[in-house]
Amino acid sequence: TLDHWFTKHLHKPDIQIVPPPEAPTPQLIAEAMAFSISKTQESGRKLKVALFPIPIGPDQWIPYTIHLDSRLQKISVTVEGENSNISTTHIPLRFITDHTTRLLINTEPLALDLAPLSGGRVILKAMPGDQHWSHSFVTAFAFGVILAVIWGLTCGLIAGGAYTMHIFVDQWGYKGCALLWPFSQRRYSGYQWVKADNNTSADRILAWMAFLLIAGNIIHITATPVTEFPSIIQILLFGGAAPLAAFTLTKKRIIAS
């Protein structure tokens, strides 16, 4: 909740880029990005930008990708579809990115922070929520202390530990976090253990095992003394590890055949 929903609603954009579904040309998106960068340099202050997806139905969107080339000072936009359209816009002023050169806008708005730097440059910061309090070890410690005072030491340790684990999981990739906010605004690089082409399975497995652990805790809290329930270890083993092993073996046999 703190990671996505809460921080998303705290991000109030100064500029909203909303491609029209009737004619979602990549040139318009590229020009809107160029305008946002120029506006940031002219105003001399940080601007918040929101990139919105292209809706074509109640639960359908056309994804598009923005490629940021700070070396050649150009922005390329690709709108996916049967015939993918690509447009490129050159920017006369210098811009840099903090950690990513490729932005994918699919089903939800993507937040950007644009800030002026010395020498007339502009820096683009994607997913700015990760650079502040929501991904800081200081926040995790404070969260644990507050809950420990309210509900006891055990609750505080579990809450603070879970929050810290969430930060470590986000660090497995490339985006990085501001681990020592508010004492430092530095964005520490991710560990780069999980790449974009193979992190989907890892995320789903981790989420499923976490769900099993939560379900096991709920079962034991609500259990009556006369009823036998499986242990936490049994739930994780038979609900997670065993099906995962069977699925992995079956998948390997199908690929081999």
Side-chain angles (χ1 to χ4, degrees):
T1 300
L2 292 175
D3 188 6
H4 295 291
W5 186 87
F6 194 68
T7 54
K8 179 177 68 176
H9 286 276
L10 286 178
H11 190 271
K12 302 298 182 182
D14 302 295
I15 299 175
Q16 301 184 52
I17 299 177
V18 186
E22 302 83 8
T25 59
Q27 185 64 31
L28 287 175
I29 302 173
E31 291 176 356
M33 281 295 300
F35 169 81
S36 301
I37 295 173
S38 299
K39 197 68 175 177
T40 302
Q41 194 267 345
E42 292 174 5
S43 64
R45 63 183 183 89
K46 183 177 74 173
L47 293 179
K48 296 180 179 181
V49 178
L51 293 156
F52 284 79
I54 306 170
I56 56 174
D59 58 351
Q60 290 181 305
W61 296 265
I62 300 176
Y64 61 93
T65 305
I66 299 176
H67 299 270
L68 304 167
D69 191 333
S70 57
R71 185 176 63 87
L72 298 178
Q73 298 304 118
K74 68 178 184 179
I75 297 176
S76 299
V77 177
T78 303
V79 176
E80 305 296 339
E82 296 181 1
N83 298 313
S84 296
N85 296 320
I86 304 175
S87 290
T88 300
T89 296
H90 291 269
I91 301 178
L93 56 89
R94 293 194 60 191
F95 70 90
I96 59 175
T97 60
D98 60 343
H99 76 290
T100 184
T101 59
R102 180 176 178 270
L103 306 174
L104 174 62
I105 296 85
N106 194 351
T107 60
E108 292 185 352
L110 178 69
L112 288 175
D113 274 1
L114 277 60
L117 298 175
S118 59
R121 299 177 303 163
V122 174
I123 183 171
L124 286 74
K125 300 179 180 180
M127 294 178 291
D130 295 353
Q131 303 181 48
H132 302 297
W133 58 272
S134 67
H135 286 71
S136 168
F137 290 134
V138 180
T139 303
F141 177 77
F143 188 59
V145 169
I146 292 173
L147 293 189
V149 171
I150 297 175
W151 285 303
L153 179 61
T154 301
C155 180
L157 290 174
I158 293 174
Y163 205 118
T164 302
M165 179 58 67
H166 153 246
I167 297 173
F168 274 121
V169 169
D170 278 1
Q171 282 290 102
W172 290 355
Y174 283 71
K175 63 181 182 179
C177 306
L179 301 178
L180 299 179
W181 183 94
F183 302 109
S184 172
Q185 298 293 331
R186 175 187 171 189
R187 185 169 192 159
Y188 290 83
S189 301
Y191 305 139
Q192 302 181 14
W193 294 342
V194 179
K195 298 181 180 180
D197 58 352
N198 63 5
N199 67 347
T200 302
S201 298
D203 285 345
R204 290 175 178 174
I205 291 170
L206 183 64
W208 178 248
M209 298 298 282
F211 165 76
L212 291 176
L213 187 60
I214 293 172
N217 278 321
I218 293 174
I219 287 173
H220 284 278
I221 289 174
T222 58
T224 57
V226 296
T227 308
E228 293 186 1
F229 287 93
S231 66
I232 297 293
I233 299 300
Q234 289 174 320
I235 291 174
L236 293 177
L237 176 62
F238 296 109
L244 178 61
F247 172 76
T248 303
L249 291 174
T250 304
K251 184 177 180 182
K252 288 182 178 179
R253 288 179 182 177
I254 292 174
I255 293 175
S257 60

